[in-house]
Amino acid sequence: MPKPWARAFGVLVLLAALLAAGGTPASGADRLPSGQWFDGAGAATVTVEDGRFVDGLGREVVLRGYNVSGETKLAEHGGLPFASVADARASATAVRALGGANTVRFLLSWASAEPVRGQVDTGYLAAVTEQMRAFLDAGIRVLPDFHQDLFSRYLFNSGSWYTGDGAPAWVVAAGGYPRESCGICLFWGQNITQNEAVKRASYDFWHNARGIQDAFLATAGTTLAYLAEHLTAEEFAAVAGFDPYNEPYAGGYDTGQTSRAWERDVLWPFYTRFRARMDAAGWQAKPAYVEPNLFWNANLDFQRQEGGLLDAGALGPRYVFNTHFYDQKAISGVFMWGKASDGQYARDLGAVRDRGAAASTAAVVSEFGHPLSGTVSDKAPSVLKAMYQGLDSRLPGADWWSSPLASGPVLSGTQWQWDLYSGRHHELMNGNPGKVLTAGDAWNDEDLSAVRTDDSGAPVLRQDARLLDRLYPGATAGRVLAFTYEDRSRDGSTTLTWNPVPATLPHVAQLVGTGRYGLLLWRSNGVAAPTELHLPGSFATTTVVSDLGAVSRPPGYTAHTPVAVAPEPGGTGSRRLLLTAPEPGAVHFALVTDGAADPSAELLNAARAELAAWAAAHT
């Protein structure tokens, strides 16, 4: 069962809506713009139940979106994701309308929060809160993350090839670390294991040298309390939890210590201490999104290290298994030639599902992505398609139709990254006025932002909208049994189709044609709130074939319309498909496509019959 307070709160929201309208759904006038009777704090709440995310109304939830923003890693805006609240609001609207997000991982800076030891900068926390509120107002959940890479920018000298982010200057000043040097390093990440200054500073943090871990936890506690106090109850309900520490790594192991032992004896105690700070600050019902050893799921054998919080036991609803995945083979340009293909990451992302299940909790991939410029950028369209395919299902497209129940849960994930200032930065690298960075992410030669701002000031996508703005089940009134989405995204002029409708379903194939399609199988649990699928903004038309009905151009939502559309809350112009199936225990299917514009009733009925027979044979 979910956390009792969350389910009870959701039920109260539902009852209040019904009573306000004399037993019929209430208007959304007092909710987010374009809200329905089931929207609000109950729907926004995220907890963990039976290894999946659920909302306060009892629906299974998938979190999808982006990291906002790597700008926090830079100095140009004082460790804030945005230069202004206006920019944050523009980004929030765009990330929903252009990127299809319902969640963002929101980066915070320890260096900016505690520039002087023991003195938390409440001005910074106030600015962070207002920028966070821009996303909450747009109906987007927020996952705050205290971010670090290479421990701290203050480890690096003004002439260095690299930089970092995270710890304040006073931490580095007290450490007496050697002059940083990575030696022969082709990628910034090699500093993690080759730069003695980075290694020793990281080691000191995990061993609480000079009380620096204590200081971090104290600042985290103040930050947690500030957010809980200064966000309204409805806003706070949409804060999904907290990510305590980005990409943890030991810095160095003690004699005889293994990576697994380090996770058990050093990392996990840190997480329990952070969890205690969350509880004390009023975050008792929100999970901590805990990351394993950075190299746990590396796809290069010589980088992979044993771990995955194997000795932490059943994490349960108070923790989420939170990991990252980048294809280091593809990024290297050496270990993977050519493009990604159907099912490329089924094993890697299947391991994430398996680890979450073994830990009795939900799993999330809070960072994934690929460079958009440079020598390996030609791989990006296929790599990103394969990563999203791996999040949607653990099966290659070639196997999905024949074995849908092996699809596994739909994984939540946030792509790295969403940076309005991509290519327009003005960052003095390590404070050096002779090294002003403007290109890409302005950080260690990275360029991964899915968005940029054009000359008119409007946010525009840098990747295929078909890839980024995806159909996905944001909230399912029951249990997802299987899901797939064929996005037909492009690699140059080539349309990538990895999951065509099989010839054994000729009417379904005719209906879909060359269009995009998604198919959801689920078992309903009887809750009154509908199942919601995000609809891509580029769907010119939407056709739905389901056991609940078969319709082209679904009508607007009412409580008595089983297949309908409605705006997503937040007033950004994005839309959702709403499927109402209140009877508990029944298996349902819904195929959603932008294929045939105005299919005949005969074709819809024939496709419906084919899918009904297919679903009966495979469930």
Side-chain angles (χ1 to χ4, degrees):
M1 295 297 293
K3 302 294 279 186
W5 77 270
R7 179 63 60 85
F9 186 78
V11 171
L12 287 174
V13 170
L14 176 63
L15 289 174
L18 293 172
L19 291 173
T24 60
S27 75
D30 59 342
R31 305 184 188 282
L32 293 169
S34 305
Q36 299 291 336
W37 63 269
F38 47 84
D39 294 324
T45 299
V46 174
T47 55
V48 176
E49 174 187 345
D50 193 24
R52 313 254 178 140
F53 290 114
V54 295
D55 66 14
L57 304 181
R59 299 178 297 178
E60 182 178 328
V61 166
V62 173
L63 307 177
R64 285 288 176 89
Y66 305 83
N67 285 261
V68 296
S69 151
E71 177 67 26
T72 300
K73 297 161 68 167
L74 307 181
E76 62 182 353
H77 293 141
L80 290 169
F82 301 97
S84 65
V85 173
D87 282 1
R89 293 194 178 280
S91 187
T93 298
V95 80
R96 182 76 128 165
L98 299 180
N102 66 8
T103 304
V104 294
R105 183 170 178 248
F106 191 97
L107 275 61
L108 305 177
S109 166
W110 178 19
S112 298
E114 190 186 8
V116 178
R117 183 163 193 162
Q119 298 180 24
V120 175
D121 184 349
T122 55
Y124 174 75
L125 297 185
V128 161
T129 304
E130 286 305 306
Q131 293 191 6
M132 193 177 291
R133 183 172 282 120
F135 290 85
L136 299 170
D137 287 348
I140 299 169
R141 295 182 182 91
V142 171
L143 173 63
D145 155 49
F146 261 122
H147 208 80
Q148 73 80 38
D149 297 279
L150 308 185
F151 192 74
S152 173
R153 76 174 60 252
Y154 300 105
L155 284 171
F156 295 84
N157 63 76
S158 62
S160 178
W161 290 3
Y162 302 103
T163 191
D165 66 281
W170 58 263
V171 172
V172 174
Y177 301 115
R179 181 179 176 87
E180 62 84 18
S181 174
C182 193
I184 301 175
C185 290
L186 300 178
F187 305 100
W188 71 260
Q190 291 175 265
N191 284 271
I192 297 169
T193 56
Q194 293 180 216
N195 190 321
E196 195 63 29
V198 173
K199 291 167 61 178
R200 286 170 59 173
S202 299
Y203 182 92
D204 280 359
F205 177 85
W206 295 114
H207 290 78
N208 199 22
R210 299 171 298 282
I212 57 176
Q213 187 179 118
D214 292 341
F216 172 80
L217 289 168
T219 296
T222 300
T223 301
L224 289 159
Y226 189 97
L227 291 172
E229 180 181 351
H230 289 83
L231 293 171
T232 68
E234 190 156 2
E235 289 167 344
F236 189 56
V239 177
F242 208 102
D243 185 341
Y245 197 90
N246 180 69
E247 296 184 350
Y249 182 64
Y253 297 122
D254 293 326
T255 302
Q257 189 178 52
T258 64
S259 56
R260 178 171 177 172
W262 177 79
E263 282 193 348
R264 181 192 65 217
D265 299 334
V266 179
L267 181 60
W268 185 250
F270 166 77
Y271 286 145
T272 61
R273 296 182 75 198
F274 196 99
R275 175 75 260 181
R277 299 306 193 282
M278 292 178 68
D279 294 347
W283 294 59
Q284 299 94 327
K286 296 183 183 294
Y289 289 62
V290 292
E291 301 186 31
N293 180 330
L294 166 62
F295 297 112
W296 164 76
N297 202 28
N299 70 342
L300 288 170
D301 290 341
F302 61 83
Q303 281 193 333
R304 187 179 294 114
Q305 298 183 14
E306 186 182 22
L309 305 176
L310 293 170
D311 299 301
L315 301 185
R318 287 169 55 78
Y319 297 92
V320 168
F321 185 73
N322 170 21
T323 189
H324 299 172
F325 180 69
Y326 293 94
D327 184 350
Q328 296 299 334
K329 294 180 181 178
I331 292 173
S332 73
V334 175
F335 297 103
M336 175 186 142
W337 297 96
K339 308 294 182 71
S341 59
D342 181 25
Q344 183 91 13
Y345 305 117
R347 182 182 66 84
D348 300 292
L349 296 179
V352 176
R353 288 179 172 87
D354 292 342
R355 187 66 208 112
S360 301
T361 191
V364 62
V365 183
S366 63
E367 283 188 29
F368 62 95
H370 189 83
L372 299 183
S373 62
T375 58
V376 298
S377 60
D378 65 309
K379 302 178 190 296
S382 62
V383 165
L384 267 296
K385 178 182 173 74
M387 287 183 175
Y388 274 110
Q389 181 194 50
L391 293 174
D392 288 344
S393 169
R394 69 185 303 153
L395 293 174
D399 298 335
W400 193 89
W401 284 93
S402 60
S403 305
L405 295 189
S407 188
V410 182
L411 274 178
S412 294
T414 49
Q415 182 178 329
W416 186 273
Q417 68 161 324
W418 189 271
D419 176 13
L420 284 187
Y421 311 109
S422 173
R424 296 177 180 269
H425 292 281
H426 189 84
E427 173 73 1
L428 278 61
M429 185 175 180
N430 297 318
N432 187 342
K435 297 181 71 173
V436 179
L437 305 182
T438 60
D441 302 343
W443 195 87
N444 287 343
D445 295 323
E446 286 201 338
D447 184 13
L448 284 89
S449 178
V451 71
R452 65 177 177 86
T453 303
D454 68 15
D455 291 341
S456 73
V460 293
L461 294 179
R462 301 178 65 219
Q463 296 171 269
D464 189 348
R466 291 177 172 238
L467 171 73
L468 298 179
D469 188 13
R470 307 177 63 79
L471 186 85
Y472 64 90
T476 300
R479 185 81 163 188
V480 173
L481 301 177
F483 176 71
T484 190
Y485 181 52
E486 177 48 76
D487 58 38
R488 313 272 194 188
S489 57
R490 297 177 179 87
D491 183 358
S493 61
T494 301
T495 298
L496 302 175
T497 302
W498 294 347
N499 190 2
V501 177
T504 53
L505 300 170
H507 293 99
V508 176
Q510 180 184 349
L511 181 70
V512 169
T514 59
R516 293 165 284 180
Y517 80 88
L519 179 55
L520 176 68
L521 280 171
W522 78 103
R523 187 183 301 277
S524 61
N525 62 359
V527 304
T531 291
E532 301 185 24
L533 289 91
H534 169 75
L535 287 175
S538 57
F539 264 38
T541 59
T542 300
T543 297
V544 182
V545 178
S546 170
D547 63 293
L548 304 174
V551 59
S552 181
R553 305 178 191 273
Y557 173 77
T558 74
H560 307 292
T561 307
V563 180
V565 295
E568 288 178 318
T572 62
S574 57
R575 299 184 309 145
R576 54 188 161 166
L577 177 70
L578 301 175
L579 303 170
T580 301
E583 70 281 8
V587 173
H588 302 282
F589 65 86
L591 178 131
V592 187
T593 181
D594 69 342
D598 290 294
S600 66
E602 290 78 12
L603 179 57
L604 288 174
N605 290 333
R608 186 181 185 187
E610 285 179 352
L611 285 170
W614 171 84
H618 290 90
T619 57

